[in-house]
């Protein structure tokens, strides 16, 4: 008999409902389905012995991971594991602890009662009352963990995220001296990957010169994503501009005295005292080797989790059967283990969304096709649905870039015969598929920018068919040494914009690295325009190099064409690619039969930005009703 669980009662304000949709694509249908799937996974989990299953608790993890159930499961595992292996940092978090009582009552760490301009909750840190002769780093971490647990309870924090504000003007040498490298690493690497919270920004205010080395150590322990959210500012005016001033303590330019705000936090801690203490009753099985967490890195925490996703039984009670080769099963850089249970559940849910979609008129719903989108978006159903919408809408609004992918077409033949661009047959050192382009072989007096984009899109379609690309991602290598002026002149800002804004948000592909080799000075302006259209994530993966040394170290040199240090001549690579395209041609051409309804204003896509593509999608998630 199926267990009965509580039903989530939505008490969100209209403002938060809108932010939940805008930030997370959250609605009642998504919540219900995700909670059901999340609970089923927890019930079958071989290591979780005791855990809350109520909606309010589980939604913390689902919202943090934008309703990707596999990511939420992994975050829950890390949360439970960290509490188990670091009891000194998590046990009995309450104001009964004299150190916690002192640090919160004096306002050393506060959860402010009012949100910032963007609706995010704000946590402030002030080391002035931190007496290093009385309190240790463990005391500081425990007080911070209590504040983070309080933030966890607030649905606003779950939906909008939190902001950290550090008043570094009161930093002292004795305070910095308490924090060893190991303690700093353990603290930052613990909370940033353990707590179900979305960290929106970090403000370091009035940083003294003597704290630069210490601050760099703290920054170095953060993930690249969080480092991008750091703001080092000289005064409070910068913080007021971003967050608003009235919400802050009086000594930071706000309205209420710090001690009055501290009193509110203490009242909140007392109100939720029993709920936070009950978290100590959770239990997860960990290996003995993982109980000594003192000098570990993230890898040690990961090993404590024991790769449980792979060993989950299916709902029928049978163990999952992996149908992918071991070399391709691990989704590199995603920290997700794909298994049969995950695939079948996600595909079923994805199909249901498509069937109820008010705008999608014709679409493939076979597992092979849908997995392209699910894998690209780490099995987050809302993100995969939106990517599919983008894909169908782009093909509908930009037919001149997507139609006539026939390999026998004269324009396509030209690019293949001249070895302009091709997908290499061998993967790189990390199992990623590599697309190689030699811009010197593109003749700007013969080919057009439109034809070049069509040929590139043919390559992207081919890559999306390949499970290796879906699982391990794609690397592009573009040699620019022999690029001609006529070819460079083809690339107007409009063509660059259409190309970039199309493929980076349209194709179900995970571009891991993009190498540009031997870039001549005369194309710098064009390249900067191209780069300006990339997302921040894509910019971070863009590598401009002078030679193939770095590429050789990262992907290996043997797989490249012989003319660039490899073993097989470019002509042979291009012929081999043409043969593979012919085999895949029927499936690629059949994509033209798919259809989605778009607004008339979106049909002329020539000069638009992402916002125009988004209007073509018509916010369809809101209108999907799943029984």
């Amino acid at each position: 008999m199926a267990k009965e669980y509580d039903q989530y009662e939505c008490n969100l304000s209209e403002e938060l409902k809108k932010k939940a949709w805008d930030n997370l694509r959250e609605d009642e249908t998504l919540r219900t389905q995700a909670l059901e799937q999340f609970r089923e996974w927890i019930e079958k989990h071989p290591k979780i012995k005791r855990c809350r299953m109520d909606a309010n608790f589980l939604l913390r993890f689902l919202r943090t991971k934008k309703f990707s159930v596999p990511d939420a499961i992994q975050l829950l595992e890390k949360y439970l594991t960290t509490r188990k292996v670091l009891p000194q940092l998590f046990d009995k978090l309450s104001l009964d602890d004299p150190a916690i009582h002192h640090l919160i009552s004096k306002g050393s760490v506060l959860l402010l009662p009012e949100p910032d301009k963007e609706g995010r909750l704000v946590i402030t840190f002030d080391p002035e009352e931190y007496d290093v002769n009385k309190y240790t780093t463990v005391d500081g971490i425990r007080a911070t963990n209590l504040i983070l647990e309080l933030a966890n309870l607030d649905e606003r924090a779950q939906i909008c995220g939190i902001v950290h504000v550090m008043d570094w003007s009161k930093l002292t040498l004795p305070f910095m001296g308490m924090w060893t490298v190991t303690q700093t690493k353990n603290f930052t690497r613990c909370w940033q990957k353990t707590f179900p919270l979305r960290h929106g920004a970090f403000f370091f205010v009035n940083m003294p010169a003597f704290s630069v080395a210490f601050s760099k150590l703290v920054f170095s322990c953060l993930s690249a994503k969080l480092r991008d959210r750091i703001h080092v500012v000289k005064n409070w005016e910068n913080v007021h501009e971003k967050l608003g001033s009235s919400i802050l303590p009086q000594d930071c330019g706000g309205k209420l005295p710090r001690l009055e705000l501290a009193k509110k936090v203490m009242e909140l801690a007392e109100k939720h005292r029993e709920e936070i203490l009950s978290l100590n009753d959770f239990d997860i099985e960990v290996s003995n080797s993982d109980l000594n967490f003192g000098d570990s890195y993230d890898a040690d925490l990961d090993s404590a989790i024991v790769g449980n996703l792979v060993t989950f039984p299916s709902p029928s009670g049978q163990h999952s059967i992996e149908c992918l080769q071991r070399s391709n099963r691990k989704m590199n850089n995603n920290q997700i283990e794909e298994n049969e249970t995950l695939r079948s559940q996600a595909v079923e849910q994805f199909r249901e969304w498509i069937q109820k979609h008010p705008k999608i008129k014709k679409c493939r719903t076979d597992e092979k096709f849908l997995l392209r989108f699910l894998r690209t978006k780490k099995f987050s159903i809302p993100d995969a649905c939106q990517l599919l919408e983008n894909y169908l809408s782009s093909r509908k609004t930009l037919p001149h870039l997507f139609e006539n992918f026939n390999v026998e077409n004269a324009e396509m033949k030209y690019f293949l015969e001249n070895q302009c661009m091709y997908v290499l047959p061998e993967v790189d050192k990390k199992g990623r598929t590599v697309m190689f382009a030699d811009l010197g072989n593109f003749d700007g007096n013969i080919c057009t920018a439109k034809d070049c984009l069509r040929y590139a899109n043919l390559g992207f379609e081919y890559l999306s068919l390949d499970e290796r690309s879906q699982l391990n991602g794609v690397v592009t290598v573009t040699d620019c040494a022999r690029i001609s002026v006529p070819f460079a002149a083809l690339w107007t800002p409009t063509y660059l914009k259409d190309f970039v804004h199309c493929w980076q948000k349209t194709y179900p592909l995970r571009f891991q690295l993009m190498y540009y080799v031997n870039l001549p000075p005369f194309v710098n302006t064009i390249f900067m325009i191209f780069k300006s259209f990339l997302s921040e994530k894509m910019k971070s993966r863009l590598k401009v190099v002078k030679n193939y040394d770095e590429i050789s170290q990262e992907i290996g040199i043997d797989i490249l064409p012989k003319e660039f240090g490899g073993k097989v001549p470019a002509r042979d690579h291009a012929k081999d690619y043409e043969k593979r395209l012919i085999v895949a041609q029927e499936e690629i051409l059949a994509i033209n039969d798919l259809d989605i309804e778009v607004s008339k204003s979106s049909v002329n896509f020539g000069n638009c930005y992402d916002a125009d593509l988004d209007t073509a999608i018509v916010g369809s998630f809101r209108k999907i009703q799943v029984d």
Side-chain angles (χ1 to χ4, degrees):
M1 182 176 178
K3 294 183 180 180
E4 292 187 5
Y5 295 105
D6 71 304
Q7 297 295 314
Y8 173 76
E9 295 184 11
C10 183
N11 297 311
L12 299 176
S13 65
E14 290 304 314
E15 174 220 355
L16 283 181
K17 286 180 182 178
K18 184 178 185 304
K19 286 186 178 293
W21 175 258
D22 292 342
N23 296 345
L24 311 172
R25 296 296 183 195
E26 177 183 335
D27 61 12
E28 184 178 355
T29 298
L30 178 60
R31 275 196 304 267
T32 302
Q33 292 180 336
L35 282 168
E36 180 181 354
Q37 192 175 358
F38 199 5
R39 284 166 172 153
E40 185 176 10
W41 279 77
I42 295 171
E43 287 172 357
K44 302 291 185 178
H45 199 296
K47 303 295 180 181
I48 295 177
K49 304 304 179 185
R50 194 161 52 249
C51 181
R52 279 173 58 179
M53 300 285 271
D54 59 282
N56 287 331
F57 178 74
L58 298 183
L59 277 172
R60 306 176 193 180
F61 299 88
L62 288 168
R63 285 169 170 158
T64 299
K65 293 302 180 181
K66 298 186 177 180
F67 287 88
S68 169
V69 175
D71 283 358
I73 281 284
Q74 192 170 55
L75 180 59
L76 176 61
E77 287 179 319
K78 290 187 176 183
Y79 177 76
L80 298 178
T81 301
T82 306
R83 293 187 67 95
K84 181 73 173 279
V85 301
L86 290 173
Q88 68 273 24
L89 301 185
F90 291 92
D91 279 359
K92 299 178 181 178
L93 295 178
S94 77
L95 297 177
D96 294 341
D97 183 316
I100 293 178
H101 187 283
H102 170 83
L103 294 173
I104 292 181
S105 66
K106 294 297 184 181
S108 294
V109 56
L110 294 174
L111 176 64
L112 302 184
E114 298 297 327
D116 74 347
K117 291 179 178 180
E118 297 183 25
R120 302 171 296 189
L121 292 191
V122 179
I123 296 175
T124 66
F125 300 85
D126 182 346
E128 185 175 20
E129 296 294 333
Y130 206 111
D131 187 343
V132 298
N133 296 312
K134 289 184 179 180
Y135 306 109
T136 66
T137 55
V138 170
D139 294 327
I141 294 172
R142 284 173 55 79
T144 302
N145 284 350
L146 175 55
I147 293 295
L148 294 175
E149 290 290 4
L150 289 173
N152 275 340
L153 301 174
D154 195 315
E155 288 193 285
R156 177 176 290 278
Q158 298 167 19
I159 291 168
C160 302
I162 62 174
V163 176
H164 304 265
V165 179
M166 275 69 68
D167 185 355
W168 246 218
S169 66
K170 301 169 184 177
L171 208 59
T172 64
L173 288 172
F175 178 82
M176 290 190 301
M178 289 197 309
W179 293 89
T180 66
V181 173
T182 297
Q183 288 171 328
T184 305
K185 285 180 178 177
N186 283 339
F187 177 43
T188 55
R189 290 172 188 262
C190 166
W191 66 256
Q192 71 179 319
K193 286 199 168 186
T194 296
F195 279 99
L197 286 168
R198 301 170 57 234
H199 305 278
F202 300 82
F203 287 88
F204 292 83
V205 190
N206 297 318
M207 184 184 296
F210 65 79
S211 71
V212 171
F214 175 70
S215 300
K216 285 184 176 179
L217 170 62
V218 175
F219 299 165
S220 70
C221 296
L222 299 177
S223 67
K225 178 187 291 186
L226 294 186
R227 284 199 296 271
D228 289 340
R229 299 173 183 177
I230 291 174
H231 304 269
V232 179
V233 297
K234 294 182 178 180
N235 53 57
W236 287 102
E237 283 74 15
N238 301 106
V239 180
H240 297 165
E241 181 182 352
K242 297 286 186 181
L243 309 183
S245 60
S246 62
I247 64 172
L248 296 171
Q250 201 172 64
D251 54 292
C252 302
K255 291 183 177 180
L256 296 179
R258 182 174 293 275
L259 294 185
E260 188 172 335
L261 291 170
K263 184 179 179 181
K264 292 179 180 291
V265 177
M266 294 180 73
E267 291 172 356
L268 187 66
E270 279 301 316
K271 177 182 178 181
H272 296 288
R273 180 179 184 277
E274 295 305 320
E275 183 174 1
I276 291 176
L277 288 176
S278 69
L279 298 174
N280 295 330
D281 297 333
F282 292 173
D283 192 23
I284 188 172
E285 180 182 326
V286 296
S287 62
N288 292 332
S289 62
D290 296 312
L291 296 179
N292 180 16
F293 193 82
D295 298 314
S296 63
Y297 288 76
D298 281 343
D300 300 296
L301 178 57
D302 291 340
S303 67
I305 292 169
V306 204
N308 294 316
L309 284 168
V310 181
T311 58
F312 280 169
S314 64
S316 64
Q318 300 299 315
H319 287 287
S320 342
I321 301 172
E322 297 297 336
C323 66
L324 298 176
Q325 294 182 359
R326 182 176 294 273
S327 60
N328 283 335
R329 188 176 60 196
K330 177 77 173 177
M331 296 181 72
N332 292 341
N333 305 315
N334 278 352
Q335 299 177 341
I336 294 178
E337 285 283 353
E338 177 185 322
N339 58 40
E340 186 176 348
T341 300
L342 173 59
R343 277 194 300 274
S344 60
Q345 290 178 340
V347 167
E348 180 181 358
Q349 193 175 354
F350 199 4
R351 283 178 181 143
E352 192 171 7
W353 277 83
I354 294 171
Q355 290 166 0
K356 299 291 185 179
H357 199 295
K359 301 296 180 181
I360 295 178
K361 304 306 179 185
K362 188 174 183 181
C363 183
R364 283 175 56 181
T365 56
D366 56 284
E367 182 176 271
K368 182 180 177 182
F369 179 74
L370 298 183
L371 279 174
R372 306 179 194 179
F373 300 88
L374 288 167
R375 286 167 171 161
T376 300
K377 292 303 181 180
K378 304 181 185 180
F379 285 85
S380 167
I381 303 298
D383 287 351
C385 285
Q386 188 168 53
L387 180 59
L388 176 61
E389 288 182 318
N390 288 354
Y391 177 77
L392 297 177
S393 296
S394 294
R395 294 186 64 93
K396 183 72 173 280
T397 57
L398 289 169
H400 57 287
L401 299 184
F402 292 93
E403 291 179 349
N404 203 1
F405 281 160
N406 194 318
V407 179
E408 299 300 322
N409 178 280
E411 291 87 355
M412 301 296 106
K413 275 285 190 183
Y414 164 81
F415 295 116
L416 288 166
E417 290 174 354
N418 288 276
Q419 305 105 53
C420 295
M421 180 170 19
Y422 38 88
V423 177
L424 301 178
E426 300 296 328
V427 295
D428 76 350
K429 292 179 179 180
K430 298 182 180 179
R432 300 170 297 194
T433 311
V434 179
M435 174 178 271
F436 187 88
D438 183 355
L439 299 189
N441 290 338
F442 287 84
D443 188 340
N445 296 310
I446 298 176
C447 58
T448 66
K450 184 185 75 171
D451 290 336
C452 293
L453 294 182
R454 284 178 52 233
Y455 182 65
N457 285 344
L458 170 60
F460 297 150
E461 292 286 358
Y462 171 78
L463 284 169
S464 70
L465 301 177
D466 190 346
E467 280 197 318
R468 297 176 305 177
S469 301
Q470 297 167 19
L471 296 174
N472 301 324
V474 176
V475 175
T476 64
V477 179
T478 304
D479 191 277
C480 309
R482 298 185 301 113
I483 185 173
S484 67
V485 173
F487 177 73
L490 296 176
W491 298 98
T492 64
T494 296
Y495 274 119
L496 291 172
K497 182 165 51 179
D498 282 351
F499 176 50
V500 174
H501 282 269
C502 171
W503 67 256
Q504 75 176 338
K505 297 190 79 173
T506 295
Y507 275 100
L509 289 170
R510 299 166 51 242
F511 292 94
Q512 300 296 305
L513 285 171
M514 297 176 290
Y515 282 105
Y516 287 82
V517 194
N518 299 315
L519 198 67
F522 76 86
V523 297
N524 281 347
T525 301
I526 296 174
F527 189 77
M528 292 306 295
I529 295 172
F530 162 74
K531 185 177 178 181
S532 71
F533 297 136
L534 295 176
S535 67
E536 291 304 314
K537 179 187 287 187
M538 287 299 180
K539 286 178 184 176
S540 70
R541 298 176 181 181
L542 191 67
K543 307 288 184 183
V544 179
V545 296
K546 294 181 179 180
N547 53 55
Y548 284 85
D549 292 343
E550 179 181 336
I551 295 176
S552 175
Q553 294 175 7
E554 175 68 25
I555 70 174
I557 199 69
D558 289 348
I559 65 172
L560 296 178
K562 186 176 181 179
E563 294 83 348
F564 302 93
K567 294 182 177 180
V568 179
R571 181 171 295 278
D572 292 344
H573 276 309
K575 287 181 178 179
D576 175 78
Y577 179 49
E578 182 177 6
K579 292 177 182 177
R580 286 181 279 139
L581 285 176
I582 292 172
V583 172
Q585 181 166 286
E586 183 177 351
E587 184 172 1
I588 291 174
L589 292 177
I591 298 293
N592 291 333
D593 297 332
L594 306 187
D595 191 24
I596 188 172
E597 179 184 326
V598 296
S599 62
K600 292 182 180 179
S601 61
S602 304
V603 173
N604 182 12
F605 194 82
N607 297 309
C608 63
Y609 288 78
D610 278 344
D612 299 298
L613 177 57
D614 291 341
T615 61
I617 293 168
V618 203
S620 305
F621 277 95
R622 284 191 179 278
K623 301 180 181 179
I624 299 175
Q625 299 296 324
V626 180
D627 296 330

